[in-house]
């Protein structure tokens, strides 16, 4: 691939990412998400009240009046209705009068959250584009993915919750740049996602790029891999304060500047969104 072709693909990817950011499930469309663990729960951005299903059955129960504008499975809710977690069981999307949608989310089927999405949210309306570094071929490097000892974890805090939790480490990734070797720990992505994720900060975090860090996704494979840091992406919490993103562990704080990939979400005034 020529440098021109690679640079054009990089520019197109940034455009596509910006377009997707305000899509129905784009990061700027995320309004809020709350775990529903008790009857009568009020979720920001969602009409009615919400409750777990009896016995921990997957999904949630909504109680709403007809004039509150909740629709599930094409039918308006006037009383109680179930929002299912799995399409095989029944309707999985609740539609609200303001154009927002509610869906059920779970990490492990032990408890269920209602996520509210709206492509016309305040954040989506403010968002304009993504700023990024120009394509840099020197940041396409070879990496070595190696296994780690069983049971190894890393302490991860979250954007809205500073209390660290221990997260399993899947692998170590070693790479060299400008003659210096670096090591990052890889963790597993969220539900229904493939590959490994490298959450990291570097010397640009804050002065030049989103301060909380960025992420590079790589294939799930051991051995030699290509690491294209031009594909480094913003965390979802760069687009909306509703997100509770996992933040890079201390082990993944690179001392060098990684001037490649996405830098900031930008508003219509040309300013950083967050």
């Amino acid at each position: 691939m020529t440098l021109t072709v690679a640079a054009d693909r990089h520019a197109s990817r940034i455009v596509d990412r910006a377009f997707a950011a305000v899509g129905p499930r784009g990061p700027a469309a995320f309004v809020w998400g709350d775990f529903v663990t008790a009857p009568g729960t009020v979720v920001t951005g969602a009409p009615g009240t919400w409750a777990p299903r009896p016995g921990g059955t997957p999904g949630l129960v909504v109680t709403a009046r007809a004039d509150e504008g909740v629709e599930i499975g094409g039918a308006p809710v006037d009383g109680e209705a179930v929002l299912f977690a799995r399409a095989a069981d029944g309707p999985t999307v609740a539609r609200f009068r303001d154009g927002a949608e509610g869906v059920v989310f779970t990490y492990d089927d032990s408890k269920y959250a209602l996520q509210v999405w709206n492509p016309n949210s305040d954040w989506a309306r403010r968002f304009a584009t993504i700023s990024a570094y120009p394509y840099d071929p020197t940041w396409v490097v070879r990496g070595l993915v190696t296994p780690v000892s069983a049971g190894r974890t890393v302490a991860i805090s979250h954007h809205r919750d500073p209390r660290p939790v221990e997260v399993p480490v899947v692998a170590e990734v070693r790479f060299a740049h400008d003659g210096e070797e670096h090591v990052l720990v890889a963790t597993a992505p969220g539900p229904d996602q493939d590959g490994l994720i490298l959450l990291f900060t570097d010397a640009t975090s804050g002065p030049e790029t989103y301060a909380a860090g960025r992420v590079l996704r790589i294939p799930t494979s051991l051995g030699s891999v290509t690491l294209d840091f031009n594909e480094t992406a913003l965390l979802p919490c760069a687009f909306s304060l509703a997100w509770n993103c996992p933040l890079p562990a201390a082990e993944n704080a690179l001392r060098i500047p990684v001037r490649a990939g996405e830098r900031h979400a930008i508003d219509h005034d040309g300013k950083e969104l967050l």
Side-chain angles (χ1 to χ4, degrees):
M1 184 187 307
T2 67
L3 179 59
T4 300
V5 170
D8 287 346
R9 288 187 178 180
H10 173 65
S12 295
R13 189 185 70 84
I14 299 300
V15 171
D16 290 344
R17 279 267 299 161
F19 182 78
V22 291
R25 296 293 182 268
F30 188 48
V31 175
W32 201 250
D34 275 331
F35 280 104
V36 177
T37 58
T41 298
V42 176
V43 178
T44 299
T49 60
W50 298 78
R53 295 185 69 195
T57 305
L60 297 170
V61 177
V62 60
T63 302
R65 303 184 311 272
D67 61 5
E68 291 182 278
V70 180
E71 182 182 289
I72 296 178
V77 176
D78 189 11
E80 286 190 353
V82 174
L83 182 63
F84 293 91
R86 304 185 181 109
D89 297 330
T92 57
V93 178
R95 292 183 168 83
F96 309 138
R97 183 173 293 151
D98 64 356
E101 294 181 344
V103 296
V104 177
F105 174 82
T106 183
Y107 285 109
D108 55 9
D109 288 324
S110 66
K111 58 181 180 178
Y112 297 89
L114 182 71
Q115 290 185 337
V116 181
W117 301 81
N118 191 343
N120 295 311
S121 71
D122 290 341
W123 293 108
R125 290 196 299 269
R126 289 175 56 191
F127 173 79
T129 190
I130 294 173
S131 64
Y133 289 105
Y135 179 80
D136 184 348
T138 69
W139 275 108
V140 183
V141 299
R142 296 304 297 172
L144 181 64
V145 182
T146 57
V148 297
S149 57
R152 181 177 170 185
T153 62
V154 65
I156 298 286
S157 297
H158 288 73
H159 192 66
R160 289 193 279 114
D161 187 352
R163 294 171 298 179
V165 295
E166 294 298 320
V167 174
V169 174
V170 180
E172 280 190 345
V173 181
R174 298 178 181 272
F175 70 96
H177 188 263
D178 282 344
E180 183 179 355
E181 186 174 273
H182 308 277
V183 181
L184 296 171
V185 295
T187 52
D192 303 320
Q193 297 180 358
D194 297 324
L196 303 176
I197 59 173
L198 302 174
L199 289 167
F200 69 91
T201 56
D202 64 275
T204 72
S205 301
E208 299 179 24
T209 61
Y210 182 60
R214 296 179 291 163
V215 61
L216 180 65
R217 297 179 181 272
I218 64 173
T220 306
S221 59
L222 297 176
S224 181
V225 298
T226 298
L227 304 177
D228 186 351
F229 281 89
N230 294 284
E231 296 182 357
T232 298
L234 293 168
L235 300 173
C237 47
F239 298 85
S240 165
L241 284 177
W243 287 98
N244 191 27
C245 293
L247 302 177
E251 290 86 339
N252 280 8
L254 296 172
R255 300 184 304 274
I256 60 171
V258 180
R259 293 190 172 96
E262 298 176 359
R263 298 179 62 186
H264 285 285
I266 302 298
D267 68 15
H268 290 283
D269 294 324
K271 298 179 181 179
E272 297 162 11
L273 193 62
L274 288 168

